[in-house]
Amino acid sequence: MTPKCISRFLSACCFAIMVTGSAMAQPAKPFEPYSGQPGKDVVWVPSPQALVDRMLDMAKVTPRDYLVDLGSGDGRTVITAAKRGVTALGVEFNPDMVALSRKNAAEAGVTGKATIVHGDIFKTDFTKADVVTMFLLSSLNLRLRPTLLDMRPGTRVVSNTFDMGEWLPDEMISAGGECSSFCSAMLWIVPAKVAGTWQMGKAELTLEQSFQMLEGRMNAAPISKAKMLGPQIAFTAGDKTYAGRVTGDRMAGTASDGSKWQATRR
Ligand SMILES: C[S@@+](CC[C@H](N)C(=O)[O-])C[C@H]1O[C@@H](n2cnc3c(N)ncnc32)[C@H](O)[C@@H]1O
């Protein structure tokens, strides 16, 4: 090899090392989610922020609440709740979304109130929540429904867009304004379980229950306008309307004529 060849060879080697070195020195591209990104059971599409705000309003969240967002994505619902003083947990299957949402929570200064766990919503116990939020699919809501219905009466469940089949919502809202897609939400209040026979003074109250809707009889006479809202019961029997609260095997309240009433499960 002539000196000229050796010099060219060395220059080429230096160039190759520089190119490789500079490529290695490039910082890894930060993860950026995209709408429609595949997820385990449902893709990621972010809830519009205006709707997140309205969902939390509809659930009447307070700092005493523990909220769980099932499939928490970039953490926006958890973070928004935490900013309102709520203790909030997000459950998310995609580890990149978990890392992103933890970073978002840190940037929002709410790491003390907002926690994101990496997990599968179908394998994570969320039954201690006072408020459950979700933006999944109706088919997934139906899989979660038995668990939700077994939660403490009064638990608020809010879903972006997707329903719960025959369990009709207690309230519906839409984000309005400039929201253009996935702009409506529904609220369900987990009803107390009251089906069966109750002794109400000298009368027998028999109740049949389908989610929050009730039918039944007081002695032989059918009751009407009978409904649960969480632990609250209301029904009309004869010319009186009864409103009360259910606590386990006892319910008590006030009738429309001002008299107090109570019933115990038989
Ligand atoms: C439509 S996005 C909603 C994100 C967020 N809750 C919001 O409202 O902006 C659904 C999220 O659920 C996550 N996901 C899908 N299947 C899941 C599962 N089995 N367990 C936990 N997360 C899941 C997806 O990765 C995605 O981030």
Side-chain angles (χ1 to χ4, degrees):
M1 215 185 262
T2 64
K4 208 171 170 186
C5 282
I6 292 171
S7 154
R8 276 202 192 130
F9 175 73
L10 288 176
S11 309
C13 285
C14 279
F15 179 72
I17 289 166
M18 276 163 62
V19 168
T20 319
S22 71
M24 280 169 66
Q26 286 289 320
K29 243 183 139 190
F31 167 73
E32 271 205 30
Y34 59 92
S35 189
Q37 167 185 282
K40 180 177 178 286
D41 291 301
V42 60
V43 300
W44 177 70
V45 174
S47 288
Q49 185 60 44
L51 188 71
V52 172
D53 295 335
R54 296 282 286 114
M55 286 168 71
L56 299 183
D57 291 345
M58 182 162 59
K60 296 191 173 72
V61 295
T62 77
R64 290 189 304 280
D65 285 323
Y66 171 48
L67 176 147
V68 178
D69 188 38
L70 297 176
S72 47
D74 64 2
R76 61 186 59 205
T77 305
V78 170
I79 292 166
T80 308
K83 283 183 181 168
R84 296 189 187 194
V86 175
T87 302
L89 176 79
V91 183
E92 171 56 52
F93 194 78
N94 179 329
D96 289 326
M97 296 304 279
V98 172
L100 174 69
S101 52
R102 285 179 181 161
K103 181 169 151 283
N104 290 344
E107 282 170 9
V110 293
T111 43
K113 285 277 176 189
T115 308
I116 316 286
V117 292
H118 176 222
D120 186 328
I121 55 172
F122 293 105
K123 293 182 181 154
T124 305
D125 182 3
F126 57 87
T127 55
K128 295 281 178 287
D130 302 297
V131 179
V132 179
T133 53
M134 53 179 78
F135 179 20
L136 300 167
L137 292 169
S138 297
S139 56
L140 302 183
N141 292 357
L142 287 183
R143 279 174 66 191
L144 293 165
R145 198 173 75 178
T147 307
L148 294 167
L149 281 164
D150 272 345
M151 287 173 72
R152 179 186 58 78
T155 303
R156 292 94 88 198
V157 180
V158 189
S159 165
N160 177 346
T161 302
F162 297 101
D163 66 16
M164 292 272 179
E166 321 86 85
W167 185 14
L168 299 179
D170 292 298
E171 203 180 322
M172 296 171 81
I173 48 111
S174 63
E178 293 179 4
C179 186
S180 57
S181 57
F182 300 112
C183 302
S184 65
M186 288 166 251
L187 167 77
W188 295 262
I189 314 263
V190 173
K193 295 187 174 78
V194 294
T197 306
W198 298 74
Q199 192 66 45
M200 190 171 161
K202 288 185 181 147
E204 184 180 86
L205 175 68
T206 307
L207 297 172
E208 287 156 29
Q209 181 168 15
S210 173
F211 306 104
Q212 68 273 64
M213 305 311 291
L214 301 176
E215 289 186 354
R217 297 175 306 284
M218 188 180 287
N219 296 327
I223 60 170
S224 61
K225 296 181 191 151
K227 208 180 161 193
M228 301 300 302
L229 190 66
Q232 311 287 347
I233 186 166
F235 59 93
T236 299
D239 56 358
K240 271 199 228 174
T241 296
Y242 297 82
R245 187 181 177 87
V246 180
T247 317
D249 288 340
R250 185 174 178 275
M251 54 172 103
T254 309
S256 49
D257 62 359
S259 61
K260 299 281 179 213
W261 66 272
Q262 63 166 302
T264 47
R265 197 186 276 280
R266 290 235 307 239

